[in-house]
Amino acid sequence: MSLIVDAGIGRPSHAIAVMELGFDAVLLDTAVAGAGDPAAMAAAFAAAIAAGKQAFDAGVLEPRDMAVPSTPVIGKAVFT
């Protein structure tokens, strides 16, 4: 079963977010047709969708309630 979002996506960044959530596709019309340069906007959406899909496949980090350092801090000098 495919999951396709058709909910008034307006910006390429919205398409990235949708694809990072694991959806299979984004249905576009107004965002591309209403752009000043529809061909350029279509290209931007294509790149955004590909990036979002690649991020999902790579394994996007889950949101956290608090920051967790990714660099070891034990035994390192502290400058104050």
Side-chain angles (χ1 to χ4, degrees), residues 1 5 8-10 13 15-16 19 23 25 28 30-31 37-40 46-47 51 53 59 62 64 70 74 79-80:
M1 173 191 283
V5 170
I9 298 289
S13 58
I16 288 175
M19 297 305 289
F23 286 85
L28 300 169
T30 306
D37 184 347
K53 175 67 171 150
E62 293 296 321
R64 298 178 180 165
S70 59
I74 297 174
F79 300 98
T80 57

Side-chain angles (χ1 to χ4, degrees), residues 5-72:
V5 170
D6 176 19
I9 298 289
R11 297 180 180 191
S13 58
H14 298 158
I16 288 175
V18 165
M19 297 305 289
E20 284 178 343
L21 291 171
F23 286 85
D24 297 304
V26 176
L27 186 61
L28 300 169
D29 181 34
T30 306
V32 173
D37 184 347
M41 186 59 79
F45 268 101
I49 290 167
K53 175 67 171 150
Q54 187 175 8
F56 176 77
D57 290 344
V60 178
L61 289 175
E62 293 296 321
R64 298 178 180 165
D65 291 333
M66 62 182 355
V68 177
S70 59
T71 305

